[in-house]
Amino acid sequence: EAGVAQSPRYKIIEKRQSVAFWCNPISGHATLYWYQQILGQGPKLLIQFQNNGVVDDSQLPKDRFSAERLKGVDSTLKIQPAKLEDSAVYLCASSLGSRTSSYNSPLHFGNGTRLTVT
Amino acid sequence: GQNIDQPTEMTATEGAIVQINCTYQTSGFNGLFWYQQHAGEAPTFLSYNVLDGLEEKGRFSSFLSRSKGYSYLLLKELQMKDSASYLCAVRDKTGANNLFFGTGTRLTVIP
């Protein structure tokens, strides 16, 4: 089974620029997550999709972050404009589980995109 | 909300046993996961507990006590490749049944 694919692997931008990350989840996985992991910390949830709908975006800084999952498969996460504190690894994860079933389905993570904002 | 605590760093000797503790407070507990994360890599799933007790998987075991809000990950016969961060994560059924992570415990295995 192919894993979660993310690109790019690394990205360096200047503050106030915009950036986009792409994620292709494991085939058949209905649920997709974006996490932000700052160096030395655990992953912090940004947004959860169930198929092509947003289930939870309560922790997404919506003034600068946006995400979409068109057609319920691939997803993109965008930051516009970027700030220095956005420097982190952005992890995409997918799971079989839905909001109301298969609650023990583990999340499968991609290798992440390491973003450096200068 | 969720509050998940783990030690920041631990060091153990190759061949030994190490126990990594995790305590949590959450309004809607719906399972606890342990993940392993090597530097620069993605977290990988190790274990899952939803009922009290011990789950064993080869050299790795995980224990849960829901009444105490406590879990531990036990690693036996430590190998150098076990040097990594170990993340405790709690699923909260309040709202969207999301998975929330602790800050992770960085384990260093020394010869």
Side-chain angles (χ1 to χ4, degrees):
Chain A
E1 153 181 283
V4 176
Q6 289 189 248
S7 68
R9 190 76 172 90
Y10 303 94
K11 190 73 178 179
I12 301 174
I13 61 172
E14 294 182 353
K15 59 184 179 185
R16 290 188 289 274
Q17 287 187 321
S18 62
V19 64
F21 313 126
W22 173 82
C23 172
N24 180 243
I26 292 173
S27 178
H29 279 196
T31 310
L32 185 146
Y33 307 81
W34 284 100
Y35 282 84
Q36 179 194 58
Q37 187 173 25
I38 293 172
L39 187 65
Q41 298 183 19
K44 174 191 166 189
L45 178 70
L46 292 174
I47 189 168
Q48 180 194 158
F49 290 94
Q50 178 72 28
N51 296 310
N52 62 346
V54 175
V55 175
D56 184 1
D57 63 357
S58 59
Q59 300 189 69
L60 188 74
K62 298 181 190 62
D63 57 333
R64 298 184 300 107
F65 286 64
S66 64
E68 60 182 10
R69 191 183 183 197
L70 300 175
K71 301 179 183 178
V73 181
D74 293 4
S75 177
T76 55
L77 176 69
K78 297 179 182 177
I79 308 175
Q80 182 179 10
K83 293 185 175 181
L84 294 176
E85 58 260 36
D86 298 333
S87 294
V89 175
Y90 289 85
L91 294 164
C92 178
S94 69
S95 73
L96 276 171
S98 67
R99 181 178 176 182
T100 56
S101 67
S102 302
Y103 55 82
N104 60 342
S105 297
L107 273 61
H108 299 266
F109 285 87
N111 284 325
T113 296
R114 182 178 296 277
L115 173 67
T116 302
V117 182
T118 62
Chain B
Q2 305 78 28
N3 189 23
I4 303 169
D5 288 316
Q6 329 178 213
T8 303
E9 294 189 13
M10 298 182 72
T11 301
T13 306
E14 190 177 14
I17 298 173
V18 71
Q19 178 174 313
I20 302 174
N21 296 324
C22 171
T23 58
Y24 65 88
Q25 291 175 305
T26 184
S27 50
F29 178 79
N30 200 20
L32 187 143
F33 294 75
W34 283 96
Y35 281 79
Q36 180 191 60
Q37 186 176 28
H38 285 100
E41 298 182 11
T44 55
F45 169 71
L46 289 178
S47 69
Y48 168 75
N49 296 71
V50 67
L51 300 176
D52 292 350
L54 189 68
E55 294 284 340
E56 297 188 78
K57 241 183 183 183
R59 293 190 299 115
F60 291 19
S61 303
S62 58
F63 171 83
L64 175 67
S65 169
R66 289 171 295 169
S67 62
K68 295 181 180 177
Y70 168 69
S71 174
Y72 67 72
L73 181 68
L74 194 71
L75 290 75
K76 303 175 187 174
E77 302 168 14
L78 279 173
Q79 302 175 10
M80 299 300 290
K81 67 178 182 180
D82 296 329
S83 292
S85 286
Y86 291 85
L87 300 163
C88 175
V90 173
R91 197 181 283 281
D92 188 336
K93 63 186 172 188
T94 306
N97 203 31
N98 281 318
L99 193 63
F100 296 93
F101 286 82
T103 56
T105 298
R106 184 161 56 194
L107 173 68
T108 302
V109 180
I110 58 176

